[in-house]
């Protein structure tokens, strides 16, 4: 038997922020952490949808302590406002799970002009993490968990064209670039936390193939015949191959709470070529181990967001 929700340590007195907490993996993390006694801050874009999701959690976990904070990762002003609200409510954060994301969307831009998938999956989350580092640094065993994907293997970081201004846009390669960026970010932030002697553990996780809204959100944004075909195909694959969202959420839950998680580590399902099963160490592409690109992408991300990852000396 592998690691499961039954192995989650008592989280009483701990505060966890989960982005994208209103559905899928984020909702499952919210439920499991609330059941273990944590106060969960649901950082989400749709307050109405989140209220309904919170009601579901409270029915499953009577007495669950939940909060909601408006967060649109495609808008840096919203990111900063959400971080300010959390800082006003809490003097520390124990765990931040950067879970929200988009996959294979049509070409589009964030409010600030970034390619949408990179902007939401990587840049918006990086700005959010940076703004909350001081609160994390005050906690005992603080952790940042960033959700990547095995699709990082098809990604390539083009530092001269991060937002597909010159290349012909390809939504799957753009998604792969954003997920590779997640792993490079974890690598560099982990290195910087260690250099600053910060107690923050930074880890990455991927869900394998889990049945969530992620597979259908991109096609629904695309529209047209091809979008409907992709939506139908994904629904079939979800029914036949995918593991339930609660199981897909285990690797990120493990990275967030399991004892002995090492900073810079990467976790994912161990069965069916990493698509399903109990969590364990996950492999990465050679591109995800490139220290030079990790450092340069990190610096450029700070420049794009205007937010520095300041850590106490």
């Amino acid at each position: 038997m592998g690691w499961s929700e039954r192995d989650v340590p008592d989280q009483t007195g701990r505060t966890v922020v989960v982005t994208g907490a209103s559905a899928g993996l984020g909702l499952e993390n919210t439920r499991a952490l609330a059941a273990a006694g944590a106060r969960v801050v649901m950082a989400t874009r749709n307050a109405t949808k989140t209220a309904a999701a919170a009601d579901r959690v409270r029915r499953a976990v009577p007495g669950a302590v939940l909060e909601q904070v408006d967060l649109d990762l495609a808008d840096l002003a919203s990111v900063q406002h959400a971080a300010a609200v959390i800082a006003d409510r809490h003097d520390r954060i124990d765990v931040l799970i950067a879970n929200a994301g988009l996959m294979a969307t049509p070409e589009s831009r964030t409010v600030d002009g970034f390619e949408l998938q990179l902007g939401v999956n990587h840049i918006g989350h990086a700005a959010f993490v940076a703004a909350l580092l001081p609160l994390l640094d005050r906690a005992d065993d603080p952790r940042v968990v960033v959700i990547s994907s095995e699709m990082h293997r098809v990604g390539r970081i083009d530092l001269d064209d991060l937002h597909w201004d010159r290349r012909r846009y390809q939504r799957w390669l753009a998604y792969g670039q954003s997920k590779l960026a997640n792993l490079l970010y974890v690598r560099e932030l982990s290195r910087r936390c260690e250099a600053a002697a910060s107690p923050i553990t930074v880890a990455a996780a991927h869900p394998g193939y889990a049945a969530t809204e992620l597979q259908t959100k991109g096609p629904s944004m695309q529209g047209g015949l091809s979008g409907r075909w992709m939506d139908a195909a994904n629904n079939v694959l979800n029914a036949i191959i995918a593991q339930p969202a609660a199981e897909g959420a285990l690797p990120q839950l493990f990275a967030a709470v399991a004892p002995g998680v090492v900073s810079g580590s990467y976790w994912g399902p161990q069965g069916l070529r990493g698509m399903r099963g109990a969590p364990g160490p996950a492999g990465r592409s050679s591109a995800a181990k490139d220290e030079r690109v990790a450092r340069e992408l990190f610096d450029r991300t700070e420049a794009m967001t205007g937010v520095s990852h300041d850590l106490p000396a």
Side-chain angles (χ1 to χ4, degrees):
M1 294 291 292
W3 194 90
S4 72
E5 283 187 26
R6 293 186 298 274
D7 300 302
V8 174
D10 181 21
Q11 299 295 299
T12 301
R14 291 170 68 79
T15 299
V16 182
V17 177
V18 182
T19 70
S22 62
L25 308 177
L27 179 57
E28 295 299 339
N29 281 168
T30 298
R31 177 190 52 76
L33 289 162
R39 176 186 296 272
V40 183
V41 180
M42 305 171 75
T44 58
R45 192 167 57 90
N46 186 322
T48 301
K49 180 178 178 181
T50 305
D55 286 343
R56 287 175 55 191
V57 172
R58 291 188 179 102
R59 286 195 294 270
V61 185
V65 181
L66 307 173
E67 298 177 15
Q68 191 268 337
V69 172
D70 290 329
L71 171 67
D72 183 352
L73 290 160
D75 182 348
L76 290 179
S78 173
V79 171
Q80 292 306 308
H81 182 261
V85 169
I86 292 171
D88 187 57
R89 294 180 184 175
H90 302 279
D91 60 1
R92 76 168 199 283
I93 294 170
D94 297 280
V95 180
L96 171 54
I97 303 178
N99 162 82
L102 294 171
M103 182 175 76
T105 59
E107 184 172 13
S108 187
R109 290 290 187 267
T110 69
V111 170
D112 303 282
F114 309 135
E115 187 276 317
L116 182 62
Q117 295 186 80
L118 187 71
V120 169
N121 297 349
H122 166 60
I123 297 172
H125 271 130
F128 194 50
V129 171
L132 293 176
L133 280 180
L135 297 186
L136 285 155
D137 200 69
R138 297 172 190 165
D140 295 325
D141 189 23
R143 301 191 189 185
V144 173
V145 181
V146 178
I147 312 311
S148 184
S149 164
E150 284 297 83
M151 282 295 291
H152 84 270
R153 297 180 184 278
V154 307
R156 183 172 70 88
I157 301 295
D158 188 334
L159 290 167
D160 295 321
D161 191 21
L162 286 170
H163 303 293
W164 299 79
D165 295 315
R166 293 191 293 274
R167 293 173 288 169
R168 182 175 66 84
Y169 186 75
Q170 298 183 63
R171 60 180 180 268
W172 283 107
L173 295 185
Y175 178 66
Q177 176 182 250
S178 74
K179 294 289 100 179
L180 176 57
N182 289 148
L183 287 179
L184 291 169
Y185 176 74
V186 165
R187 184 180 188 90
E188 181 61 12
L189 181 57
S190 174
R191 186 192 70 79
R192 295 190 184 205
C193 286
E194 183 177 355
S198 169
I200 300 172
T201 295
V202 187
H206 77 85
Y209 197 153
T212 71
E213 292 181 357
L214 186 66
Q215 288 92 343
T216 57
K217 189 177 294 183
S220 68
M221 291 174 65
Q222 179 179 336
L225 181 60
S226 61
R228 291 194 296 273
W229 182 89
M230 282 183 62
D231 192 12
N234 283 325
N235 283 330
V236 171
L237 290 173
N238 277 354
I240 296 174
I241 299 175
Q243 61 183 340
E247 294 180 22
L250 287 177
Q252 57 203 62
L253 186 61
F254 180 94
V257 302
V261 170
V262 176
S263 200
S265 57
Y266 183 34
W267 303 90
Q270 298 299 287
L272 199 63
R273 295 183 177 272
M275 287 198 292
R276 60 190 306 149
R284 337 170 183 226
S285 68
S286 58
K289 303 174 184 177
D290 192 319
E291 293 184 3
R292 181 192 66 81
V293 174
R295 294 184 187 192
E296 186 160 352
L297 177 64
F298 196 96
D299 290 340
R300 292 195 183 194
T301 300
E302 288 193 327
M304 286 185 286
T305 62
V307 183
S308 297
H309 292 69
D310 294 326
L311 290 160

